[in-house]
Amino acid sequence: MRPTLSRQEAERLVNTYSDLILRLSYTYLKETEDAKDICQTVFLKFLEKPRAFDSPDHEKAWIIRSAINACKDVLKSHWRKTTVALDAASRVPAPEIPEGSLLAALDLLPPKYRVVIYLYYYEGYAAREIAEILGRPAATVNTQLSRGRARLRRVLESEGYV
């Protein structure tokens, strides 16, 4: 029969091990909020399935092992590998546009032409798709593509590329 956990016992576990779990988790994850999540995860795991331990050392070893395993699960999760904190993302500069490149010439066009040409040639969208994305009529996008190409040609000619 599985032992039940009293409120007093749960409070004892939190008071005894929360600092240990937080510090250990922080060493793995380097994020305070993630370490707090691991702390909650370990205690919830214990509360859902209370265990009987042979000794206080056995109990502590189980807590440590559970915290380490939870940290490793977070580290290998798809979420952790594919996301970045918002403050870290704000420090990443936009890529530099090499001078004399087609993108630099495109940057000289008015925004309404620049956007449709970029979406059409660089991102591979059809004029109809661009119209949906921008909320413009397809005929307008086709006109902007045509006029944008003509302006881009003039810019390239004036810069000596054509």
Side-chain angles (χ1 to χ4, degrees):
M1 186 169 147
R2 192 179 299 171
T4 58
L5 194 64
S6 69
R7 181 175 180 87
Q8 183 180 4
E9 180 64 11
E11 287 176 0
R12 181 193 69 80
L13 287 170
V14 169
N15 291 333
T16 304
Y17 296 115
S18 60
D19 190 56
L20 167 69
I21 296 169
L22 283 170
R23 290 176 190 272
L24 180 63
S25 300
Y26 186 81
T27 62
Y28 270 88
L29 305 173
K30 307 290 187 243
E31 295 286 335
T32 303
E33 296 305 315
D34 289 343
K36 289 178 183 178
D37 289 345
I38 295 299
C39 193
Q40 289 179 359
T41 300
V42 170
F43 289 128
L44 280 174
K45 185 177 178 183
F46 190 82
L47 290 172
E48 288 172 351
K49 291 184 179 180
R51 289 146 175 81
F53 297 106
D54 299 334
S55 66
D57 287 339
H58 182 221
E59 178 182 79
K60 186 176 182 179
W62 184 90
I63 295 284
I64 291 171
R65 187 78 253 158
S66 294
I68 290 171
N69 289 341
C71 288
K72 287 181 178 180
D73 289 345
V74 168
L75 289 172
K76 67 183 176 186
S77 73
H78 178 71
W79 171 259
R80 179 83 175 205
K81 291 177 184 174
T82 58
T83 58
V84 65
L86 191 56
D87 60 333
S90 69
R91 292 189 299 264
V92 177
E96 292 292 323
I97 298 172
E99 193 174 320
S101 70
L102 186 57
L103 270 176
L106 188 64
D107 206 32
L108 299 173
L109 297 179
K112 66 181 180 180
Y113 301 129
R114 182 174 47 224
V115 170
V116 294
I117 288 178
Y118 179 82
L119 290 174
Y120 187 82
Y121 288 104
Y122 283 91
E123 297 300 326
Y125 285 104
R128 172 185 44 78
E129 295 170 317
I130 296 170
E132 289 175 25
I133 291 169
L134 299 178
R136 298 176 186 162
T140 302
V141 170
N142 283 321
T143 301
Q144 289 173 340
L145 275 170
S146 178
R147 290 179 183 168
R149 286 184 199 115
R151 283 190 177 210
L152 184 59
R153 187 176 306 112
R154 284 194 300 272
V155 166
L156 292 173
E157 286 171 353
S158 71
E159 297 290 324
Y161 289 106
V162 179

